[in-house]
Amino acid sequence: GHISAATHAMEDAGARVFRYLLMQLVVNVSYGIPVAIGLYFIGVPNAVLWGAFAAVLRFIPYIGPWIGAALPITLSLAVSPSWTMPFLTIGLFVVLELLSNNLMEPWLYGSSTGVTPIALIVAAVFWTWLWGPVGLLLSTPLTVCLVVLGRHFPRLRVLAIMLGDPRALQSFERLYERI
């Protein structure tokens, strides 16, 4: 009976999930390239491979970056006669994770999903508890879809209120407030 609302909801959900995945690709590539360059200058063998591996593993939320860092760190421990290479490798990953997690991700993900950061964390815990690793991979797209359902269907409005990140004022209201 509400084919128009359903169509708009599907288009909105598809656009938001696409923007999220595109932003995740941008973040992961902008993480993998410095990893490869840094590992090359540190002297870790196969630096380009580890940079690509780190970028691909960042698609797995929360645990992917740890796995992507563990292998080059272990390799640097194995091939280095001193502790310099492992410490530089650990430092590289710590600095890049701090920049990525605190600068790139909030800036790019916040504008693309429309979901609050707390809702993303709670959703990751819930979907992981419910479905395990598959739930962890799908937690953000599923939460985005729930927010879209709440925005387009009045009976599910509570989902958009609880999980969504709406603007406080629209642009014309903000102009009126400032005047």
Side-chain angles (χ1 to χ4, degrees), residues 21-175:
L21 291 174
L22 181 64
M23 290 303 117
Q24 191 172 14
L25 177 67
V26 167
V27 168
N28 292 353
V29 168
S30 66
Y31 176 82
I33 291 172
V35 165
I37 292 170
L39 290 177
Y40 174 77
F41 285 117
I42 291 172
V44 177
N46 302 320
V48 175
L49 171 70
W50 299 121
F53 197 60
V56 169
L57 283 174
R58 279 190 60 85
F59 278 102
I60 302 171
Y62 307 109
I63 59 172
W66 292 98
I67 298 169
L71 296 172
I73 291 170
T74 305
L75 181 63
S76 70
L77 282 168
V79 300
S80 176
S82 69
W83 288 97
T84 306
M85 187 183 296
F87 283 136
L88 287 174
T89 306
I90 291 169
L92 173 72
F93 278 101
V94 167
V95 167
L96 288 176
E97 277 297 316
L98 287 173
L99 287 173
S100 178
N101 291 340
N102 296 317
L103 186 69
M104 294 284 292
E105 287 181 2
W107 177 49
L108 293 174
Y109 291 168
S111 64
S112 66
T113 61
V115 179
T116 62
I118 282 292
L120 287 176
I121 293 169
V122 170
V125 170
F126 173 75
W127 292 113
T128 303
W129 171 76
L130 189 64
W131 289 342
V134 174
L136 182 63
L137 285 172
L138 296 175
S139 64
T140 302
L142 286 172
T143 307
V144 168
C145 290
L146 288 176
V147 169
V148 167
L149 285 174
R151 287 187 180 153
H152 290 280
F153 296 101
R155 292 189 181 196
L156 299 173
R157 184 96 177 133
V158 69
L159 293 173
I161 293 169
M162 286 179 18
L163 303 173
D165 190 19
R167 298 187 128 197
L169 298 174
Q170 294 180 4
S171 60
F172 68 89
E173 293 170 331
R174 184 173 291 145
L175 175 66

